[in-house]
Amino acid sequence: MPYRHGLQSSRFELKYIIDEDCALGIRNFVSSHLELDSHCRPDLENAYPIASLYLDTSDLFLYRQTCQGIKNRFKLRIRFYDDHADSPAFLEIKRRITDVICKERAMVSREGVRRVLRGAGPDLSYLMDENDHAKSGSALQNFCRLCDQIGALPQVY
């Protein structure tokens, strides 16, 4: 199935700690108002696997900003939704600007990920998103620029 994503470029994100019964009640209520994601797997109760590789400095600068509650910060991550070599990966910059979450995302080939992790520049041939090449290209360039600026390397999978 081809990948498509209708990513919101910004949103408000509030997080709460709730118990399992409350979470189940919320899930049951909202499920009648939402459409299933096209990638949902019935064998996984309509969920799907998500693997994230977080990039950071050797002293975990980005992680420490999160722990310290810094309001204006960003994360660098690479997301995978399966382990198929021909499936795309997503290079993501997730920013928090006060209370708003903004995300930039580039859909790239697995070979593109390997090259970026080896320090190669942002080559547009890595892109797999035919729908919004300009937006993905900008996200790829910004991702590589931020990695270079702070010396980010893979730290947490």
Side-chain angles (χ1 to χ4, degrees):
M1 165 184 312
Y3 280 81
R4 63 181 180 83
H5 57 90
L7 182 70
Q8 294 175 314
S9 60
S10 65
R11 65 180 185 263
F12 288 97
E13 188 174 280
L14 303 172
K15 297 181 181 180
Y16 299 92
I17 297 174
I18 58 175
D19 62 39
E20 288 293 324
D21 289 338
C22 184
L24 184 58
I26 292 169
R27 182 179 182 178
N28 290 339
F29 174 77
V30 300
S31 65
S32 64
H33 301 282
L34 301 173
E35 291 181 31
L36 288 178
D37 185 307
S38 61
H39 303 290
C40 287
R41 291 184 35 192
D43 60 313
L44 296 176
E45 296 182 24
N46 293 326
Y48 49 86
I50 300 173
S52 299
L53 176 62
Y54 287 86
L55 285 72
D56 204 337
T57 61
S58 59
D59 66 348
L60 303 179
F61 175 73
L62 301 178
Y63 171 74
R64 286 187 289 109
Q65 285 189 323
T66 300
C67 289
Q68 294 167 3
I70 304 298
K71 286 287 188 184
N72 298 313
R73 62 183 188 261
F74 65 92
K75 293 178 184 177
L76 297 168
R77 69 183 174 206
I78 302 172
R79 281 238 159 123
F80 304 88
Y81 295 95
D82 61 40
D83 57 1
H84 304 294
D86 58 338
S87 293
F90 298 86
L91 304 182
E92 298 181 350
I93 305 165
K94 185 175 179 185
R95 296 180 194 275
R96 179 187 181 107
I97 303 167
T98 310
D99 291 326
V100 178
I101 304 300
C102 302
K103 194 186 297 186
E104 289 181 83
R105 177 164 147 142
M107 184 189 305
V108 301
S109 66
R110 300 289 172 105
E111 180 58 28
V113 169
R114 282 188 279 281
R115 290 181 182 188
V116 166
L117 291 176
R118 288 186 200 124
D123 188 328
L124 297 182
S125 70
Y126 306 157
L127 296 177
M128 294 181 72
D129 189 353
E130 293 146 13
N131 297 330
D132 204 342
H133 209 72
K135 199 176 215 181
S136 282
S138 176
L140 172 61
Q141 291 174 338
N142 290 337
F143 185 92
C144 292
R145 179 183 51 79
L146 287 170
C147 285
D148 287 345
Q149 274 182 352
I150 68 168
L153 297 169
Q155 298 293 345
V156 177
Y157 177 75

